[in-house]
Amino acid sequence: MFRYLMRRLLAAAVILVVISAITFVTFFALPTDPALLACGKTCSPSRLAEIRHALGLDKSLATQYWEFFKGLFVDRTYGDQSITVHCNAPCLGVSFQSDTPVLTILLGDFPVDLSLGTGAAVIFLVVGVGLGMVAATHKGKAADKVAVSASLVGVSLQIYFVGLLLMWAFVDKWQILPAPSYTPLTQDPVGWFQGLLLPWATLVVIYLAFYTRLSRSSMLETLGEDYIRTARAKGLPMRRVILKHTLRAAITPIITIFGMDLASLIGGTAVITESVFGLNGIGKQAVDAVTNSDLPVTMGTTLFAAAAIVVFNIIVDMAYGIVDPRVRLA
Amino acid sequence: MAIELPPQTADGTAPSAFLDVRDLQVHFPTEDGLVKAVDGVSFTLEKGRTLGIVGESGSGKSVTSLALLGLHKGTRAILSGEIWLDGEELVALPEPAMRALRGEKVSMIFQDPLSALHPFYMVGNQIAEAYLVHHKASKKEAKDRAIDMLKRVGIPQPERRVNDYPHQFSGGMRQRAMIAMSLVCNPELLIADEPTTALDVTVQAQILDLIHDLQQEYGSAVIIITHDLGVVAQTSNDILVMYGGRCIEYGSVQDVLNHPEHPYTWGLLQSMPSLSSDVHTKLNPIKGNPPSLINLPSGCAFSPRCAFKDRVPGGRCMTERPELRPMAGNDQHIAACHLADDEKTDRVAK
Ligand SMILES: Nc1ncnc2c1ncn2[C@@H]1O[C@H](COP(=O)(O)OP(=O)(O)OP(=O)(O)O)[C@@H](O)[C@H]1O
Ligand SMILES: [Mg+2]
């Protein structure tokens, strides 16, 4: 088990290095010049060269990448005579825009997506599997049709539409909720909950449909298995047949997909939700960084999202090993 | 106090045996049409006796046995007829009452134990669970009972094996575990659906002995479902031959195997290796395919494959469905075939 984990982590590190290199190269293939942007409207050639030097853009691509990589293990100092920024290892670089170390930015934004993503994911998983279960056990009956068509409505809605509608109703019209915002859970649990309720609801509406249909079909498939018939043949009550024997097997294929969805939500895919509700998360940070040609922040957010996926991949595989006794981790 | 009413059968006659199945039909409505998987099957079985049900794949053997367990309830299957078990009618029995019988009074050894055992739970837990549904017992007692059952069915080191998962068992051990599970409540009616297919001959013999021993001990009624007439000859008192969802021959093992009356039964006997005395005799599998259960051939369902249909005058085999009737004046041996008795004596003598 331990050796398995070590091997997986090593492979993950290699993947992240490759991704960072690709991001690096792609960034420089873009036509925009970050130095020109930082220089502003009244830019003299000498000032431009200065900025280029300060940002380290005058060095070769390989040197720049090497310095970035070295920064992961040793402290770096940026800047020239006027301003110097110190960046402690592990250093992911310093933002061109705000002169803040990228890691500081990421650590500041990360809790927003962690709360937003995990909260929404827990709700859509539980509710989706529940609805899917009801639909599967009432196949073809009214409950099934309601669950399936309700989930179809959800799938055809757009985040900005649902989000703005919910905001208008709950915040502006009925005024039962405060405007969405992020308050750390440790600081004020009630505020955390109230501030994230609408963003969660929005994400849940979008994802729920998929999880309902996924678990419905997985349940239906499992219900047709011979071992479910065996469970009934023992004289078990239907409730137990479904909640124990069927659910356990039906949930397994859902784990993988759920793990990937959760990872990408935490990694910042909920960018539209973030911006509709004015939350400053990784997703928004990433979009801003690309717009501003802020290489270090672009790198940082990309690597963060990639790391989330890679880590959750390992978690999912290990979870499989626990849930399914036939799977041996090796 | 409730007054015991005599059971009300459709024709008013009292159920004549421990298990009395009358005109059982199981139909499945599908997109392609109504699948008549079982279409009018009747038989009786006393405690302590064994009935063998034989027939090709798809002839309705498993569907019949699932009906005895009430496992078609809550599905789209349409059932009719009567199943009297110990004076109680099961076709119309509501699900909660049926559930109480399942695994306790009637239980089943399923075909293909690998897929019939839950892959995510330990074998011992699955056996213990079957015990716990019907008995007030602690988890510990149920587990001890599971170990005991595993020992009875000949699993080595049952104390250790009880914590194994099904995939850690060999095919024969899985079959034994399946048997242990179905016997954990000492059922009065045990249905074994092809308990020995896919097992090698020695294991097959052991499993059949095991079922026999346990039957002796508890005096249960046993139904053995198989493709293999050899298994029936070895284990059963009576035999029921199914074809296309119907019973085409039914009687004691001696009568049916020594004087088969239906050409399909002849065919089954000829396609069997173990009963032919001469090893060099070529096997004669029955030519043609099993009939469609949606559109059974008119007349006798077996007629398209029957080599003797021309011996019946007027093409009756293709137009008129033969009824089950006593053969050679023996009420206990019935078959559904138009061939005159002398024709058959002729054929069998060959
Ligand atoms: N739920 C169902 N819906 C539709 N058709 C079904 C259903 N269950 C069984 N059948 C059909 O009923 C027929 C009889 O099936 P059954 O399983 O009883 O065959 P069998 O005699 O046990 O065959 P085998 O020897 O292969 O086990 C088959 O043609 C099968 O396709
Ligand atoms: Mg079968």
Side-chain angles (χ1 to χ4, degrees):
Chain A
M1 189 67 155
F2 179 75
R3 285 187 54 188
Y4 170 81
L5 189 62
M6 283 301 123
R7 238 192 24 233
R8 290 295 304 269
L9 287 175
L10 197 72
V14 173
I15 292 173
L16 290 180
V17 170
V18 172
I19 289 175
S20 70
I22 293 173
T23 318
F24 208 81
V25 173
T26 317
F27 185 85
F28 282 99
L30 292 175
T32 39
D33 182 348
L36 206 59
L37 256 140
C39 191
K41 281 204 182 86
T42 54
C43 190
S44 66
S46 60
R47 173 86 189 115
L48 188 64
E50 241 170 65
I51 291 177
R52 252 205 189 115
H53 180 71
L55 298 181
L57 292 170
D58 53 348
K59 292 173 192 148
S60 78
L61 209 64
T63 320
Q64 286 188 51
Y65 184 71
W66 173 242
E67 284 184 352
F68 164 80
F69 197 75
K70 212 169 60 182
L72 293 175
F73 306 98
V74 291
D75 298 0
R76 287 177 77 180
T77 307
Y78 286 84
D80 46 17
Q81 310 82 346
S82 51
I83 28 154
T84 52
V85 182
H86 200 72
C87 178
N88 293 327
C91 174
L92 289 172
V94 169
S95 164
F96 288 171
Q97 289 287 312
S98 62
D99 293 335
T100 321
V102 172
L103 196 60
T104 314
I105 298 180
L106 290 180
L107 289 178
D109 291 343
F110 159 70
V112 176
D113 292 285
L114 185 66
S115 293
L116 180 64
T118 315
V122 167
I123 303 173
F124 66 63
L125 179 70
V126 173
V127 180
V129 169
L131 283 177
M133 198 157 73
V134 171
T137 50
H138 296 79
K139 188 177 171 236
K141 303 205 183 97
D144 181 24
K145 289 181 177 133
V146 169
V148 169
S149 39
S151 71
L152 271 180
V153 173
V155 99
S156 50
L157 292 175
Q158 297 295 326
I159 294 182
Y160 31 86
F161 175 71
V162 182
L164 292 175
L165 194 72
L166 288 175
M167 283 251 265
W168 172 78
F170 287 91
V171 180
D172 300 337
K173 191 160 162 65
W174 301 323
Q175 306 196 337
I176 36 182
L177 281 176
S181 64
Y182 176 73
T183 321
L185 174 65
T186 44
Q187 190 182 314
D188 172 12
V190 178
W192 173 81
F193 185 79
Q194 286 185 337
L196 285 170
L197 202 53
L198 290 183
W200 284 339
T202 307
L203 283 176
V204 167
V205 169
I206 307 299
Y207 279 83
L208 188 60
F210 176 71
Y211 278 85
T212 303
R213 283 188 296 171
L214 185 69
S215 39
R216 177 181 181 271
S217 65
S218 182
M219 285 287 286
L220 282 177
E221 201 186 312
T222 311
L223 281 169
E225 293 284 353
D226 284 356
Y227 52 79
I228 298 303
R229 197 181 55 194
T230 309
R232 286 187 63 209
K234 289 183 200 176
L236 294 179
M238 208 51 199
R239 191 168 18 93
R240 193 168 162 87
V241 172
I242 288 170
L243 291 179
K244 185 178 169 195
H245 293 252
T246 313
L247 195 59
R248 172 78 182 268
I251 201 92
T252 325
I254 301 176
I255 292 177
T256 322
I257 299 169
F258 177 73
M260 291 306 99
D261 274 346
L262 180 58
S264 51
L265 280 175
I266 292 176
T269 12
V271 54
I272 302 178
T273 311
E274 284 176 29
S275 59
V276 165
F277 293 104
L279 301 171
N280 292 315
I282 303 265
K284 187 168 176 300
Q285 195 66 250
V287 172
D288 289 350
V290 172
T291 332
N292 298 329
S293 291
D294 193 341
L295 171 67
V297 179
T298 310
M299 280 285 267
T301 49
T302 309
L303 280 180
F304 178 79
I309 298 278
V310 169
V311 167
F312 269 88
N313 235 312
I314 299 175
I315 295 177
V316 162
D317 287 350
M318 307 222 355
Y320 253 107
I322 294 166
V323 172
D324 189 339
R326 290 167 301 181
V327 176
R328 281 282 151 266
L329 302 177
Chain B
M1 236 171 94
I3 304 160
E4 283 272 317
L5 287 172
Q8 277 302 299
T9 57
D11 61 7
T13 59
S16 58
F18 174 66
L19 174 66
D20 187 348
V21 176
R22 300 182 174 194
D23 195 25
L24 178 68
Q25 306 193 335
V26 185
H27 295 174
F28 300 102
T30 67
E31 273 128 48
D32 302 327
L34 192 64
V35 175
K36 298 182 176 174
V38 177
D39 202 21
V41 167
S42 305
F43 59 87
T44 58
L45 181 62
E46 290 295 356
K47 288 187 87 171
R49 294 183 61 90
T50 302
L51 169 73
I53 301 184
V54 293
E56 286 172 305
S57 192
S59 54
K61 307 183 296 292
S62 296
V63 171
T64 304
S65 43
L66 292 178
L68 301 182
L69 277 165
L71 283 178
H72 294 299
K73 288 181 204 291
T75 74
R76 59 189 172 162
I78 305 164
L79 263 76
S80 65
E82 297 162 53
I83 299 171
W84 291 92
L85 180 74
D86 206 7
E88 198 168 14
E89 205 287 306
L90 305 185
V91 171
L93 195 67
E95 171 63 17
M98 187 70 232
R99 191 179 73 64
L101 296 183
R102 263 186 222 129
E104 156 81 353
K105 193 163 189 167
V106 197
S107 79
M108 182 152 169
I109 301 168
F110 285 102
Q111 206 171 348
D112 191 3
L114 180 59
S115 59
L117 291 169
H118 202 302
F120 292 177
Y121 296 108
M122 287 180 236
V123 172
N125 283 354
Q126 299 190 47
I127 298 172
E129 188 181 36
Y131 185 70
L132 279 173
V133 213
H134 299 292
H135 296 88
K136 276 202 159 51
S138 69
K139 282 240 167 75
K140 173 83 178 64
E141 285 162 346
K143 190 173 174 184
D144 288 345
R145 172 91 187 163
I147 295 175
D148 191 41
M149 288 311 293
L150 287 177
K151 187 144 100 206
R152 301 277 299 277
V153 298
I155 302 254
Q157 293 179 280
E159 297 82 9
R160 196 170 61 79
R161 288 303 198 152
V162 75
N163 293 326
D164 275 2
Y165 290 93
H167 72 275
Q168 294 168 299
F169 273 28
S170 71
M173 282 164 71
R174 273 179 218 133
Q175 192 59 272
R176 286 162 197 262
M178 191 74 227
I179 294 175
M181 185 153 94
S182 55
L183 291 177
V184 73
C185 296
N186 304 340
E188 293 172 56
L189 171 62
L190 175 68
I191 305 163
D193 193 351
E194 308 196 13
T196 57
T197 5
L199 296 180
D200 64 57
V201 188
T202 32
V203 183
Q204 178 169 337
Q206 287 170 4
I207 299 270
L208 292 177
D209 282 349
L210 179 66
I211 294 176
H212 181 74
D213 291 349
L214 295 162
Q215 174 180 29
Q216 292 299 306
E217 188 171 339
Y218 299 120
S220 323
V222 173
I223 297 178
I224 287 195
I225 295 174
T226 176
H227 296 269
D228 187 346
L229 282 177
V231 169
V232 175
Q234 210 179 319
T235 58
S236 307
N237 306 106
D238 293 326
I239 174 167
L240 187 147
V241 184
M242 284 186 78
Y243 186 80
R246 292 174 185 159
C247 167
I248 51 109
E249 186 156 3
Y250 177 45
S252 72
V253 165
Q254 290 79 6
D255 286 344
V256 174
L257 295 188
N258 296 334
H259 312 286
E261 295 287 354
H262 197 288
Y264 177 67
T265 317
W266 301 341
L268 281 182
L269 279 164
Q270 283 197 330
S271 58
M272 263 201 41
S274 50
L275 283 192
S276 54
S277 45
D278 186 356
V279 240
H280 299 291
T281 318
K282 267 215 254 137
L283 294 180
N284 276 324
I286 306 169
K287 291 199 184 65
N289 294 315
S292 148
L293 296 174
I294 295 172
N295 282 311
L296 272 184
S298 56
C300 171
F302 185 62
S303 61
R305 298 167 74 184
C306 183
F308 305 95
K309 55 175 180 283
D310 297 334
R311 300 216 189 164
V312 177
R316 276 170 71 213
C317 291
M318 275 74 77
T319 52
E320 189 188 321
R321 182 179 155 189
E323 294 299 325
L324 281 168
R325 60 188 171 104
M327 289 288 135
N330 179 354
D331 275 358
Q332 304 304 313
H333 182 188
I334 53 175
C337 181
H338 289 311
L339 274 182
D341 295 12
D342 55 321
E343 283 277 5
K344 266 179 276 191
T345 341
D346 192 30
R347 164 69 189 77
V348 176
K350 204 184 115 191

